[in-house]
Amino acid sequence: MTAITDSAGATPSSGDRTLSTSELAAVRADFPLLARTVRGGRPLVYLDSAATAQKPDVVLDAEQDFYLQRNAAVHRGAHQLAEEATEAYEQARHEVAELVGVDDGELVWTANATAAVNVVAYAMSNASLGRGGATARRFALGAGDEVVVTEAEHHANIVPWQELCARTGATLRWIGVHDDGRLRLDDLTNVVTERTRVLAFSHASNVTGAVTDVAALVARAREVGALTVLDACQSVPHMPVDLHALDVDFAAFSGHKMLGPTGVGALYGRRELLEAMPPVLTGGSMVEVVTMETTTYAPPPQRFEAGSQMVAQAVGMGAAARYLRELGMEAVAAHEAEMTRLLLDAVASVPGVRLLGPADDRDRLALVSFVVDGVHAHDVGQVLDDAGVAVRVGHHCAQPLHRRLGAAASARASAAVYTTAEEVAAFADALARVRPFFGLDREGTR
Amino acid sequence: MSSMEQLYQQLILDHAKDPHGKGLAEGHDAESFQVNPTCGDEVRLRVHLAAADAPTVDRVSWEGQGCSISQASVSVMSELVTGASVEEAEQLGETFRALMQSRGEGLDEAAEDRLGDATAFTGVAKYPARIKCALLGWAALRDALVQASAATTKKEEER
Ligand SMILES: Cc1ncc(COP(=O)(O)O)c(C=O)c1O
């Protein structure tokens, strides 16, 4: 384990201090997979962390240790293993809550970010049917109400709201984007109105890398009394995130994108909101008293954690959160800011390549989505793959945004804390070979 | 030849650049629209049958967008099935699907003879993520032929 701050759990290192060469080497040594080769012995250049991140030893060890030493059902049973399992599970919740600046009781385990958004949407649906009684009425939607998203969202933050609107009679509206993918904040007062009940938006786009001005959106939502739901999938792994300071009502993120395991994610909900919200999945573990006629529900977060949970994965996600905190999110962000500049330069250096997203490195993640003139994204990805460079191709679960930016599909290179300048250089080299490989000249003219 | 060079045979690159049968024509007997949801590749394909003793594919016309593999595959397919009986066209589809399952090993000589230019896609079978691209047009053809024969049966029943 790499300890860059002086002690475990210490406050993150502050300032713009980035990772030194030896610290970066130590980080990479924590990720065994990064050392493998692909496609006939080429070193792997993993630039697909926005899809899913690689995992450090400490995450794998935490999961294994749980199964080897502590495995038992949590929150039930009086034996020692059950106690230890419950403690590991709740300690993991604490680690994740701490990383994003919230209280333990405000953090609900979910399968992933998609599930977290759906918990909010289905709780609102249930409230619209009268479930949860008078206290849940604030979540009820009907005809005349509006839900607002943005055109830059991942499908995970569009489709659940479309469905909620279809079930309740509410109307879906959206904030548009500029040609560089940044939100049209000038639309804000037109689109977010007294009729808006929910404003759901991402903290950072998985396609354009643009980081949202959360304060501006939250301020407008507060003015009109709308609930805010933040998709924090792409921010939590890459920058300091304090959800209390951001003042959002709900937030969703996934373990597997923040160096943790698959199968686990989290929903943050402001305490009084979670307390007032009706359950979604129902059954064991989320109840107080069950009779044959009726049931009373456990307080949050358990109310939203029906059935046996993904305990080992939660423990792994806790270890990932701790790992990130020990590196220091400021240091992670500073390192990735360098990668942002290098990635932008790489794309700008190759003729015939169009960037989807802002060309400036301000408020921007270390990822670049791009289109190569005359070459389909799938073919771009194949040539990069031949050089050992792993990128994502397709629409990255953001079809409306691609449509808006005039691209059927794109290729995307995305960095994480373990990405090096040499890797970005290898990406740039491989990218320069794409058009020539397909018989197009380097200049982008044909 | 590297795996990637085997994947992108010159014939494939040529068809991708200059596709055969592209552009939808009227007077078709059935149409199918297929998408590959992971990458957004799409093809709209029409079959135009000729009335003969055994129903025959008079021509195939299509419109689509996608990667070089998917576009070249529809193009090669439309050349290959033009003039074939419906039954032969369906069998060619089965043979091509078998080629895609061959992990790049190819098929026996007789099968490869039948597939002609479509054997250029053998290298695709080494890249599981690209097999769907190569099959997109063939999936549209199969669907359109099923629809066309259902329509024919219906007409005959109505008679
Ligand atoms: C911005 C954003 N939101 C939501 C998601 C969905 O995450 P998951 O598939 O882990 O639920 C992703 C992942 O692709 C994402 O990038």
Side-chain angles (χ1 to χ4, degrees):
Chain A
M1 155 101 243
T2 325
I4 283 173
T5 45
D6 3 70
S7 69
T11 34
S13 52
S14 56
D16 288 359
R17 210 183 66 86
T18 181
L19 302 177
S20 70
T21 311
S22 62
E23 283 167 341
L24 181 55
V27 166
R28 287 183 69 81
D30 291 334
F31 293 78
L33 186 144
L34 295 178
R36 68 162 283 182
T37 57
V38 292
R39 299 283 181 224
R42 292 191 180 76
L44 168 68
V45 175
Y46 187 72
L47 292 177
D48 199 14
S49 293
T52 199
Q54 298 305 340
K55 324 301 177 198
D57 285 324
V58 288
V59 167
L60 310 176
D61 292 348
E63 268 198 77
Q64 169 148 317
D65 171 74
F66 179 81
Y67 280 129
L68 291 178
Q69 298 295 333
R70 275 161 255 283
N71 183 43
V74 299
H75 288 303
R76 53 186 93 162
H79 51 80
Q80 182 178 340
L81 278 190
E83 272 171 33
E84 289 185 18
T86 305
E87 155 129 23
Y89 179 64
E90 291 305 326
Q91 178 61 27
R93 191 192 305 275
H94 175 72
E95 298 286 357
V96 176
E98 191 90 335
L99 179 71
V100 295
V102 304
D103 301 338
D104 298 0
E106 296 177 313
L107 195 104
V108 177
W109 297 121
T110 60
N112 47 37
T114 304
V117 174
N118 275 282
V119 168
V120 181
Y122 275 96
M124 297 191 76
S125 209
N126 289 343
S128 308
L129 295 170
R131 301 301 300 154
T135 48
R137 209 162 289 148
R138 63 199 295 187
F139 300 110
L141 295 187
D145 290 330
E146 293 177 356
V147 173
V148 175
V149 297
T150 88
E151 211 174 2
E153 297 311 302
H154 187 282
H155 298 161
N157 207 22
I158 297 177
V159 185
W161 304 115
Q162 280 178 348
E163 287 289 318
L164 174 64
C165 289
R167 290 193 300 272
T168 58
T171 302
L172 187 76
R173 300 188 66 192
W174 53 91
I175 297 166
V177 301
H178 292 289
D179 290 345
D180 72 353
R182 293 214 191 259
L183 297 185
R184 296 187 58 111
L185 292 181
D186 45 335
D187 275 358
L188 201 53
T189 47
N190 283 334
V191 180
V192 180
T193 68
E194 299 296 329
R195 288 185 299 278
T196 308
R197 304 290 312 286
V198 180
L199 174 56
F201 59 99
S202 53
H203 196 174
S205 162
N206 67 316
V207 176
T208 66
V211 175
T212 305
D213 181 353
V214 176
L217 272 74
V218 167
R220 180 59 186 160
R222 289 266 171 272
E223 259 172 36
V224 300
L227 292 167
T228 47
V229 181
L230 187 72
D231 173 353
C233 264
Q234 295 294 347
S235 55
V236 169
H238 305 294
M239 62 178 81
V241 172
D242 182 334
L243 294 173
H244 277 173
L246 289 174
D247 203 24
V248 291
D249 294 313
F250 296 97
F253 52 102
S254 280
H256 71 97
K257 293 188 199 272
M258 51 171 280
L259 318 181
T262 51
V264 63
L267 169 68
Y268 157 73
R270 193 190 290 284
R271 183 185 297 278
E272 73 268 20
L273 293 174
L274 287 183
E275 276 166 1
M277 216 161 77
V280 174
L281 289 185
T282 55
S285 308
M286 49 76 69
V287 298
E288 266 171 354
V289 179
V290 181
T291 66
M292 289 312 290
E293 289 76 28
T294 184
T295 296
T296 58
Y297 300 115
Q302 276 75 29
R303 185 187 304 165
F304 302 100
E305 295 172 353
S308 300
Q309 294 294 297
M310 59 310 262
V311 182
Q313 288 96 323
V315 168
M317 185 168 171
R322 186 181 188 84
Y323 181 85
L324 284 169
R325 278 203 302 134
E326 288 178 359
L327 285 179
M329 289 310 296
E330 301 278 357
V332 170
H335 172 68
E336 293 194 22
E338 262 176 57
M339 296 303 119
T340 305
R341 284 187 283 279
L342 295 175
L343 283 167
L344 286 170
D345 287 350
V347 164
S349 74
V350 182
V353 176
R354 174 164 77 97
L355 178 72
L356 303 184
D360 60 308
D361 62 0
R362 191 180 41 86
D363 296 328
R364 198 186 192 298
L365 295 178
L367 67 78
V368 284
S369 297
F370 55 91
V371 173
V372 177
D373 279 350
V375 187
H376 188 273
H378 233 140
D379 298 318
V380 174
Q382 200 77 54
V383 176
L384 297 182
D385 169 69
D386 197 56
V389 180
V391 301
R392 171 84 185 258
V393 298
H395 46 60
H396 325 314
C397 300
Q399 290 178 14
L401 181 58
H402 273 82
R403 215 166 281 128
R404 164 65 182 86
L405 300 178
S410 64
R412 177 185 72 191
S414 58
V417 61
Y418 41 69
T419 304
T420 67
E422 292 72 29
E423 289 182 304
V424 179
F427 159 68
D429 280 352
L431 184 58
R433 288 203 289 275
V434 170
R435 282 180 50 89
F437 181 85
F438 290 100
L440 306 168
D441 70 22
R442 285 175 191 278
E443 307 314 313
T445 44
R446 163 84 236 200
Chain B
M1 237 197 309
S2 75
S3 288
M4 188 174 68
E5 283 158 350
Q6 280 169 32
L7 172 66
Y8 293 114
Q9 302 268 331
Q10 194 56 45
L11 183 130
I12 294 182
L13 297 179
D14 291 346
H15 272 270
K17 236 182 230 163
D18 201 0
H20 182 97
K22 195 162 177 176
L24 292 175
E26 296 303 319
H28 53 289
D29 293 86
E31 175 180 296
S32 174
F33 178 68
Q34 300 286 324
V35 292
N36 182 349
T38 54
C39 57
D41 286 4
E42 51 184 61
V43 62
R44 182 178 301 282
L45 178 138
R46 292 176 175 174
V47 285
H48 308 252
L49 300 181
D53 294 345
T56 301
V57 180
D58 186 39
R59 65 183 291 203
V60 165
S61 66
W62 59 278
E63 201 42 78
Q65 54 159 0
C67 66
S68 57
I69 303 294
S70 70
Q71 302 300 289
S73 185
V74 199
S75 170
V76 169
M77 180 195 77
S78 50
E79 269 185 1
L80 196 62
V81 301
T82 300
S85 73
V86 167
E87 201 185 325
E88 280 163 355
E90 280 168 347
Q91 271 163 9
L92 282 169
E94 288 312 313
T95 311
F96 190 78
R97 274 180 274 277
L99 182 71
M100 290 299 103
Q101 297 305 317
S102 74
R103 298 177 183 274
E105 304 291 318
L107 302 173
D108 62 48
E109 231 181 282
E112 295 202 341
D113 277 353
R114 285 197 300 278
L115 283 181
D117 283 353
T119 52
F121 293 88
T122 305
V124 177
K126 279 195 191 154
Y127 293 92
R130 306 305 297 275
I131 292 176
K132 267 196 188 152
C133 308
L135 288 178
L136 191 68
W138 288 95
L141 177 71
R142 176 160 68 180
D143 182 42
L145 290 177
V146 167
Q147 287 184 41
S149 75
T152 318
T153 321
K154 200 166 166 234
K155 258 187 230 152
E156 280 167 4
E157 278 166 3
E158 280 165 4
R159 242 181 247 151

